[in-house]
């Protein structure tokens, strides 16, 4: 399997994969909107036997503290794997490769809203323990963070906001 940056010819397959994985076009449309607006910090495709079997997207987030100071970070969303290829480690490989590239680019931290039993296996921890919360309450168990460099979460606390494109999801 090859994990690589998306190519323009991958876009229809990535759209279809997101629709298949999530059961609606919402996440696929989100990825397209982020791409159109130049807000995909990183978009990786997992390719196996000339077929796109997985996709992961990362985009900017902001964290605003009680004083109004803003810190920039990265959000992981969405991530998907073809149904017949799930539970084979493809998702984990996409996450690890994406985080390694973001780390190499100097990003401080990455947040994710995801399955509370899955992402801790990939070194994500509760955002609450770092005094961070998503702007939409009620998702505390699944809202997690991972520092991407030493002290990457120092002085970072407050309300996390994803790009405006996420408001439509």
């Amino acid at each position: 399997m090859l994990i690589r940056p998306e190519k323009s010819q991958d876009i229809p397959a990535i759209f279809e994969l997101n629709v298949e994985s999530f059961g609606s076009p919402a996440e696929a449309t989100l990825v397209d909107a982020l791409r159109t607006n130049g807000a995909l910090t990183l978009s990786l495709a997992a390719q196996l036997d000339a077929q796109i079997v997985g996709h992961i997207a990362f985009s900017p987030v902001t964290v605003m503290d009680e004083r109004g100071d803003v810190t920039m970070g990265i959000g992981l969303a969405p991530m998907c794997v073809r149904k017949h290829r799930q539970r084979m480690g493809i998702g984990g490989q996409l996450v690890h490769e994406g985080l390694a590239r973001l780390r190499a680019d100097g990003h401080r931290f990455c947040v994710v809203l995801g399955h509370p039993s899955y992402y801790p296996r990939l070194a994500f921890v509760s955002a609450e323990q770092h005094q961070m919360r998503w702007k939409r309450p009620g998702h505390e168990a699944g809202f997690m963070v991972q520092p991407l460099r030493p002290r990457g979460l120092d002085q970072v606390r407050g309300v996390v906001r994803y790009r405006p494109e996420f408001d439509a999801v």
Side-chain angles (χ1 to χ4, degrees), residues 13-81:
I14 289 170
F15 190 94
E16 182 269 326
L17 175 59
N18 274 281
V19 171
E20 172 195 308
S21 297
F22 293 102
S24 83
E27 283 80 4
T29 302
L30 167 64
V31 172
D32 281 354
L34 290 166
R35 186 183 298 111
T36 297
N37 294 330
L40 277 178
T41 302
L42 181 62
S43 180
L44 298 175
Q47 181 181 329
L48 184 62
D49 299 328
Q51 181 186 36
I52 301 299
V53 296
H55 175 256
I56 192 166
F58 297 90
S59 58
V61 297
T62 60
V63 183
M64 183 180 293
D65 67 16
E66 67 280 349
R67 294 182 315 266
D69 294 335
V70 174
T71 304
M72 297 298 297
I74 296 292
L76 184 171
M79 191 261 290
C80 59
V81 174

Side-chain angles (χ1 to χ4, degrees), residues 4-160:
R4 58 169 175 72
E6 73 169 32
K7 299 175 183 174
S8 59
Q9 61 264 33
D10 298 331
I11 293 173
I14 289 170
F15 190 94
E16 182 269 326
L17 175 59
N18 274 281
V19 171
E20 172 195 308
S21 297
F22 293 102
S24 83
E27 283 80 4
T29 302
L30 167 64
V31 172
D32 281 354
L34 290 166
R35 186 183 298 111
T36 297
N37 294 330
L40 277 178
T41 302
L42 181 62
S43 180
L44 298 175
Q47 181 181 329
L48 184 62
D49 299 328
Q51 181 186 36
I52 301 299
V53 296
H55 175 256
I56 192 166
F58 297 90
S59 58
V61 297
T62 60
V63 183
M64 183 180 293
D65 67 16
E66 67 280 349
R67 294 182 315 266
D69 294 335
V70 174
T71 304
M72 297 298 297
I74 296 292
L76 184 171
M79 191 261 290
C80 59
V81 174
R82 288 219 179 272
K83 292 196 185 295
H84 71 282
R85 297 287 186 181
Q86 292 179 355
R87 305 204 184 287
M88 297 172 68
I90 295 170
Q93 289 179 53
L94 281 164
V95 172
H96 284 299
E97 179 66 21
L99 294 177
R101 288 173 184 245
L102 294 167
R103 197 173 285 113
D105 286 343
H107 294 282
R108 290 183 65 173
F109 62 89
C110 181
V111 297
V112 65
L113 176 64
H115 296 285
S117 62
Y118 180 74
Y119 285 96
R121 293 184 286 178
L122 302 170
F124 282 87
V125 297
S126 167
E128 275 187 313
Q129 75 185 53
H130 290 281
Q131 300 175 28
M132 296 169 68
R133 63 182 173 82
W134 188 29
K135 74 174 188 174
R136 297 182 189 170
H139 301 280
E140 291 76 16
F143 193 59
M144 295 166 266
V145 65
Q146 181 179 140
L148 297 178
R149 62 184 188 201
R151 303 179 61 109
L153 291 170
D154 284 5
Q155 309 294 315
V156 181
R157 58 186 50 85
V159 179
V160 178

